[in-house]
């Protein structure tokens, strides 16, 4: 079954404590991205990756890092989380640079106290 | 970053009624997508539109790609309780943008049996 798997589904942490949200896809997709969803704002792209070792900033990259060492994995790293990063996060993957229909994971609800 | 203007923000309707929502932008998109998000899940693609003026149906759902390429519309006919969720429009500019999408703020649909 085609899947984008995020872990954890729920995370409560404190300000400044480094955390990583993992994302893995089993469709051999080249393109992966991270979005955050906030009420009234829809989904906004944080970072994207066009292939292994190729990453670039999306619309709201401040406070986040990513890495793409393997094609299937695209972790999102918060080095020093702050309360304004409390949000619902989605990982997505697409088949190629020209695939316009990303496939989304089920989300990670993050609360930073 | 740019966002699409999606309206209405929420709708409360009676089962059996038809629903219309739309999305507008100040700039042109090559592709328009409509997603539905149910509680606790990631967005799921409903309809993809690739050409200006295109009208595409998926069951009771019909979407149109505006002639100006700056807007799109989604209609749901004869709504049922399982239509409840948040509907998002998303635009893609084409070229080497890969899965980089710009999302609307969402329309939350409630259906009363």
């Amino acid at each position: 079954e085609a899947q984008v798997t995020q872990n954890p589904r729920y995370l409560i942490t404190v300000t400044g404590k480094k955390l990583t949200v993992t994302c893995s896809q089993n469709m051999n997709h080249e393109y992966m991205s991270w979005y955050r969803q906030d009420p009234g704002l829809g989904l906004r792209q944080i970072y994207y990756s066009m292939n292994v070792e190729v990453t670039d900033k999306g619309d709201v990259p401040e406070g986040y890092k990513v890495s793409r060492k393997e094609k299937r994995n695209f972790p999102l790293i918060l080095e020093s989380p702050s309360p304004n990063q409390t949000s619902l996060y989605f990982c997505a993957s697409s088949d190629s640079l020209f695939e316009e229909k990303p496939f989304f994971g089920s989300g990670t609800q993050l609360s930073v106290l | 970053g740019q966002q699409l203007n999606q309206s209405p923000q929420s709708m409360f309707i009676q089962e059996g009624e038809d629903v219309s929502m739309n999305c507008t932008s100040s700039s042109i998109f090559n592709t328009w997508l409509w997603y539905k998000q149910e509680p606790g899940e990631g967005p799921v693609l409903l309809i993809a539109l690739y050409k200006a003026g295109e009208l595409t149906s998926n069951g009771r759902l019909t979407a149109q790609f505006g002639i100006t390429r700056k807007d799109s519309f989604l209609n749901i006919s004869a709504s049922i309780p399982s239509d409840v969720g948040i509907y998002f429009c998303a635009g893609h500019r084409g070229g080497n943008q890969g899965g980089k999408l710009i999302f609307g703020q969402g329309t939350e649909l409630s259906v009363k049996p």
Side-chain angles (χ1 to χ4, degrees):
Chain A
E1 181 189 352
Q3 278 187 330
V4 174
T5 303
Q6 297 178 226
N7 280 297
R9 285 295 302 267
Y10 304 93
L11 179 59
I12 300 175
T13 189
V14 295
T15 298
K17 186 176 181 182
K18 181 180 178 179
L19 66 91
T20 299
V21 183
T22 63
C23 174
S24 179
Q25 49 96 1
N26 63 359
M27 295 167 280
N28 202 36
H29 284 171
E30 291 184 352
Y31 192 102
M32 298 184 74
S33 56
W34 276 100
Y35 292 84
R36 61 177 287 173
Q37 182 180 5
D38 301 290
L41 296 178
L43 284 85
R44 294 176 293 168
Q45 193 179 56
I46 303 170
Y47 267 96
Y48 62 95
S49 168
M50 292 186 284
N51 213 323
V52 175
E53 303 292 0
V54 180
T55 64
D56 207 348
K57 296 177 181 178
D59 295 321
V60 287
E62 294 78 19
Y64 304 95
K65 284 175 56 176
V66 292
S67 69
R68 188 90 181 273
K69 293 184 170 57
E70 305 165 282
K71 196 172 187 178
R72 63 182 290 128
N73 296 322
F74 190 45
L76 179 69
I77 303 157
L78 284 72
E79 295 270 3
S80 183
S82 62
N84 65 11
Q85 292 178 299
T86 292
S87 187
L88 179 59
Y89 291 87
F90 288 101
C91 180
S93 70
S94 307
D95 192 29
S96 72
L97 280 177
F98 300 97
E99 172 56 59
E100 315 91 338
K101 298 176 289 187
F103 189 94
F104 284 85
S106 297
T108 295
Q109 179 65 58
L110 172 65
S111 296
V112 183
L113 306 177
Chain B
Q2 183 191 1
Q3 281 193 293
L4 300 175
N5 296 314
Q6 187 173 347
S7 65
Q9 288 190 350
S10 61
M11 303 181 76
F12 298 86
I13 62 170
Q14 199 77 29
E15 182 177 0
E17 289 182 5
D18 295 344
V19 171
S20 291
M21 59 191 79
N22 69 81
C23 219
T24 61
S25 170
S26 58
S27 57
I28 290 170
F29 287 96
N30 282 356
T31 301
W32 284 93
L33 306 173
W34 285 92
Y35 284 86
K36 179 187 178 187
Q37 183 183 27
E38 297 188 6
E41 298 298 328
V44 174
L45 183 67
L46 298 173
I47 293 179
L49 303 159
Y50 299 103
K51 289 171 54 176
E54 180 181 354
L55 188 71
T56 297
S57 293
N58 177 6
R60 293 177 295 104
L61 278 62
T62 301
Q64 185 162 22
F65 193 139
I67 291 292
T68 65
R69 295 167 63 193
K70 293 182 180 180
D71 57 8
S72 181
F73 306 87
L74 176 69
N75 295 316
I76 305 173
S77 63
S79 58
I80 59 178
S82 62
D83 290 334
V84 165
I86 303 177
Y87 292 79
F88 290 102
C89 62
H92 183 272
R93 291 206 170 88
N96 64 348
Q97 292 289 295
K100 184 174 173 63
L101 295 177
I102 307 295
F103 278 85
Q105 303 96 325
T107 295
E108 186 165 8
L109 178 63
S110 301
V111 179
K112 186 176 181 181

